[in-house]
Amino acid sequence: MADIIKFPTKNFQTKPVMSAEEEQKMILLSNKRLADNVAEGLAIDILTVLQDQISNMQSAEFIADLAFLIEVIKSTLHRELDIHHPVQDIIAKVCKVQTTKNGEKVTHLNYRDILNKVDEDQIDIIFEPE
């Protein structure tokens, strides 16, 4: 008969049990990290494709545009994971998706609400008689 060495039980600590709230926070953090990593990976791919097309990739405008693009990608991934992202609020104000009679989805973009500009033909003019 073989000698069996018993697993030590003295000073053995069990894994702490997480509450449901802590577990949800861990899942949320994990999902945010996943979305950020995917967006950053796509940003590298985008830069690789654009490097032959963009003459000045170091301009402040290009860097700002790329940063916003990455945030839009993160927002899209966050929405898929049921996580709110501030860019989703901008998208809700700018984009309206409508379905045509034949079932095709069409997107209408209207920047007026976020730019605080009013078209000339939509200015309310009140004429007061003299």
Side-chain angles (χ1 to χ4, degrees):
M1 192 161 162
D3 291 332
I4 298 175
I5 301 173
K6 288 190 173 188
F7 188 78
T9 56
K10 186 178 180 184
N11 296 330
F12 179 74
Q13 296 178 0
T14 59
K15 180 181 174 184
V17 178
M18 290 193 328
S19 69
E21 183 180 327
E22 291 173 325
E23 191 172 334
Q24 282 300 103
K25 285 181 181 180
M26 291 295 290
I27 291 170
L28 178 65
L29 182 61
S30 175
N31 286 342
K32 281 185 177 184
R33 283 187 186 147
L34 171 67
D36 290 348
N37 288 338
V38 170
E40 289 168 15
L42 286 171
I44 291 170
D45 292 342
I46 291 168
L47 281 170
T48 303
V49 171
L50 290 180
Q51 68 185 0
D52 294 332
Q53 308 299 320
I54 306 294
S55 59
N56 185 6
M57 293 176 67
Q58 295 301 316
S59 72
E61 292 83 4
F62 177 80
I63 293 170
D65 289 346
L66 184 63
F68 191 77
L69 177 62
I70 293 167
E71 285 303 305
V72 170
I73 292 169
K74 284 182 188 178
S75 170
T76 303
L77 296 169
H78 282 195
R79 188 187 306 271
E80 187 65 26
L81 297 167
D82 288 328
I83 301 170
H84 182 263
H85 189 283
V87 172
Q88 294 168 2
D89 299 333
I90 297 170
I91 292 169
K93 287 183 179 182
V94 172
C95 301
K96 302 293 180 232
V97 178
Q98 297 175 335
T99 305
T100 62
K101 291 179 183 177
N102 63 0
E104 181 182 0
K105 297 205 184 255
V106 179
T107 306
H108 295 280
L109 301 175
N110 183 350
Y111 298 102
R112 187 178 322 119
D113 290 340
I114 64 170
L115 295 178
N116 296 324
K117 290 187 177 179
V118 178
D119 288 342
E120 284 185 23
D121 61 344
Q122 292 188 1
I123 296 175
D124 291 331
I125 299 175
I126 300 174
F127 292 101
E128 294 181 15
E130 294 180 22

